Amino acid sequence: MNGIRPAAPNRAPLCDYCGHVQDALTVVGVVHSASGPGRAVHACGPCRASRRLVPLAEHPADSLGLVLVEPRR
């Protein structure tokens, strides 16, 4: 599932990539579901930087909300 951990309801916020409990998580995408509500994908600062994840707030207006990765420079 692209390295993204399944949702864990009613728990402390976890980074979906490393699984550590973090206070400062960034929403980097959404997982859509045809049979129920989708969910947000969260990443901590170190995972966001190392994986070059684009915050959802910075996605293009026509984005579907899937996780985006910055191109290599």
Side-chain angles (χ1 to χ4, degrees), residues 8 12 16 19-20 26 33 39-40 43-44 51-52 56 67-68 73:
D16 288 305
H20 290 113
T26 301
S33 176
R39 70 177 195 86
C44 65
R51 296 169 189 266
R52 303 180 334 271
L56 185 61
V67 175
L68 295 180
R73 295 179 186 170

Side-chain angles (χ1 to χ4, degrees), residues 15-69:
C15 172
D16 288 305
Y17 292 90
C18 68
H20 290 113
V21 176
Q22 300 286 333
D23 288 331
L25 294 174
T26 301
V27 176
V28 294
V30 293
V31 175
H32 299 279
S33 176
S35 62
R39 70 177 195 86
V41 178
H42 297 86
C44 65
C47 286
R48 208 181 106 217
S50 68
R51 296 169 189 266
R52 303 180 334 271
L53 301 171
V54 178
L56 185 61
E58 296 175 17
H59 283 206
D62 62 349
S63 168
L64 296 176
L66 303 177
V67 175
L68 295 180
V69 177

